[in-house]
Amino acid sequence: MNIFVLLALALAIILLMLRRKISIGLCMLAGGFFIWLVRSARIDDLATALTTMLTMPRTYDIIFALYFVMCLEIELRVSGALHDMVEALKRKFSGVKVLLAVMPAFLGLLPSPGGARFSAPIVEELSRSISISQETKAAINFWFRHLFEFSSPIIPGMILACSIAGIAFGDMLRHLSWLTVLAFAVGWLVLIRPIRAEVDITSDRLSAREEHGMWLAIGSVASIFILVIAFGLSASMGTAAIVLALIGVLRLVGRSVGVKEIFIGALDKKMFVDIGGILYFIQLLDVTNVLTEIVAAFQSSPLPVPVIIACVSFIIGVLTGMSQGHVAIVMPIVAAMGMGNLDLAGVAMAFGVAGQMLTPTHFCLIVTMNYFESSLFGTLKPIFLCEVIILTVFSVVTFLTWG
């Protein structure tokens, strides 16, 4: 069967099951099993995919990072620090619209797998005084968290892309960082501007409790940044260290939270089933050589090279849902076609990120939807519009400035 027909059928199965309100993890497994059945139907391939998934360090970093982020959210929420931080920032900014965009963006600077689970309750808290749908809340949280995919020095995809393509990070930053500004502007236009919210004229003076809670919450996140960036810890280890330290800190300042409430409350079985289903789906794509065949199909086509890179990057982004996925597969092709080619590398990054933002294999999307209990299609509708605008502007600018 033609590889693109196969993918279209697998996607149709996934979408049909999603329409029936079946969990995303099970939907992805169904699509993966269909691909395996058509391409291989060998039991040892299923075993290989499972073994690989269970032995990859990335699997456990994702799972434990997500778990400890949820533990941290419980600590800050139950202790009241999260609420106090939101109230303090609302006073400082005299309204919620700016904060709805800025807070997920700020927390998105830390590339923690599933980290959208931490910014989600902040978006929920900020939006209590305004009338917006759960899908809009989910879209805001998901979109603004990923503004820095093109301009952060600690995004794994950017680091890997520069290394493979032989491009200095500074050069890549100068070439693509304008997309972060564009993404913020487009997100504001599509997601924030339509919100009807009163501007609160309040005193800038904070109560002692609000200021205390604000620094507890911000300090916790900043500490994770320091551990990950300065000391090189993984996202899971850095977050775990802060979660454990915060238990003692909260007791010392009179905001104690029960240990059982923290660690048992963070055990979201549905979430972990969904993550496991997605990880296994990605491994099934690998063992059945689907990703390799997609690349080969485009390489043998008569399309212009930039179009080939754009199409492959977008499709791989959709299939893997992570920046490391499309970068690891597509950037070696970019390097082979022209080591150090900024224009071609920029096309790969822009279209790969677009693909990962429009797929149920993206962990942050799953986390966000589970938290807000929003629908996939309702959440992705404004995201799709944002990506259409960004890719159109990017394509025009790239065409006019191609070096």
Side-chain angles (χ1 to χ4, degrees):
M1 183 183 294
N2 179 276
I3 189 65
F4 296 106
V5 174
L6 175 63
L7 288 175
L9 291 174
L11 183 60
I13 291 172
I14 293 170
L15 293 177
L16 181 62
M17 292 179 67
L18 285 171
R19 286 286 190 185
R20 296 180 178 274
K21 309 296 184 182
I22 297 173
S23 74
I24 287 180
L26 296 178
C27 295
M28 300 307 297
L29 278 178
F33 283 138
F34 173 75
I35 291 173
W36 165 79
L37 190 62
V38 174
R39 295 277 297 183
S40 168
R42 294 171 51 187
I43 298 299
D44 58 332
D45 281 343
L46 290 178
T48 298
L50 182 61
T51 301
T52 302
M53 184 192 80
L54 294 177
T55 55
M56 289 179 70
R58 183 189 72 189
T59 298
Y60 299 98
D61 193 41
I62 289 170
I63 291 173
F64 284 114
L66 176 57
Y67 173 71
F68 286 117
V69 163
M70 294 166 71
C71 289
L72 181 60
E73 184 268 326
I74 290 172
E75 288 178 312
L76 295 178
R77 173 170 49 81
V78 175
S79 69
L82 189 64
H83 174 77
D84 291 337
M85 180 189 72
V86 170
E87 289 302 310
L89 292 175
K90 282 168 69 175
R91 291 180 186 277
K92 289 291 186 182
F93 284 89
S94 299
V96 301
K97 293 176 72 170
V98 172
L99 289 173
L100 280 172
V102 170
M103 289 307 297
F106 166 69
L107 295 172
L109 284 168
L110 183 67
S112 170
R117 181 61 176 76
F118 186 62
S119 54
I122 296 177
V123 171
E124 179 69 40
E125 186 72 29
L126 285 166
S127 60
R128 290 189 187 281
S129 61
I130 56 181
S131 179
I132 57 176
S133 69
Q134 295 301 99
E135 284 71 22
T136 299
K137 295 177 189 178
I140 288 172
N141 186 59
F142 181 57
W143 179 261
F144 285 99
R145 178 173 169 76
H146 294 89
L147 295 181
F148 296 100
E149 292 285 334
F150 309 103
S151 56
S152 172
I154 59 172
I155 296 293
M158 279 290 282
I159 297 171
L160 187 61
C162 292
S163 176
I164 295 174
I167 297 172
F169 180 80
D171 292 337
M172 185 74 91
L173 183 66
R174 285 188 288 273
H175 187 66
L176 289 179
S177 59
W178 65 277
L179 285 177
T180 291
V181 179
L182 178 62
F184 182 88
V186 171
W188 185 275
L189 178 68
V190 174
L191 292 165
I192 303 295
R193 187 174 179 274
I195 295 174
R196 300 175 67 90
E198 297 293 331
V199 176
D200 299 323
I201 307 299
T202 57
S203 170
D204 287 340
R205 296 187 62 181
L206 309 179
S207 69
R209 182 175 179 82
E210 286 174 341
E211 187 165 8
H212 186 257
M214 179 180 69
W215 288 116
L216 264 177
I218 293 177
S220 299
V221 177
S223 298
I224 298 174
F225 273 86
I226 293 170
L227 291 178
V228 172
I229 298 171
F231 294 93
L233 295 184
S234 66
S236 57
M237 291 180 64
T239 310
I242 298 306
V243 166
L244 294 174
L246 196 57
I247 293 174
V249 171
L250 291 174
R251 286 182 177 176
L252 286 174
V253 298
R255 292 177 179 253
S256 182
V257 180
V259 173
K260 182 177 179 180
E261 185 175 8
I262 296 168
F263 293 105
I264 300 299
L267 291 173
D268 188 335
K269 294 179 181 179
K270 180 179 182 296
M271 178 77 66
F272 294 125
V273 168
D274 287 344
I275 298 300
I278 291 169
L279 289 171
Y280 192 49
F281 171 79
I282 293 172
Q283 291 308 313
L284 285 174
L285 294 179
D286 186 44
V287 299
T288 55
N289 295 315
V290 167
L291 301 179
T292 303
E293 192 166 327
I294 291 172
V295 173
F298 276 108
Q299 283 182 308
S300 63
S301 75
L303 295 171
V305 170
V307 175
I308 292 174
I309 294 299
C311 292
V312 174
S313 295
F314 183 83
I315 292 174
I316 301 301
V318 168
L319 292 176
T320 62
M322 63 181 75
S323 59
Q324 301 98 309
H326 65 82
V327 166
I329 293 169
V330 180
M331 276 301 171
I333 303 173
V334 171
M337 292 179 173
M339 181 67 77
N341 189 322
L342 267 174
D343 291 315
L344 212 52
V347 169
M349 287 299 295
F351 280 84
V353 169
Q356 77 181 53
M357 291 294 289
L358 295 170
T359 174
T361 62
H362 192 149
F363 301 124
C364 285
L365 178 61
I366 306 307
V367 168
T368 299
M369 288 171 49
N370 274 325
Y371 181 86
F372 290 105
E373 298 182 349
S374 62
S375 69
L376 174 67
F377 303 101
T379 302
L380 283 184
K381 184 178 178 180
I383 302 297
F384 177 79
L385 177 58
C386 289
E387 286 297 350
V388 167
I389 295 172
I390 287 177
L391 290 182
T392 299
V393 173
F394 174 80
S395 298
V396 171
V397 171
T398 299
F399 178 78
L400 293 176
T401 61
W402 191 271

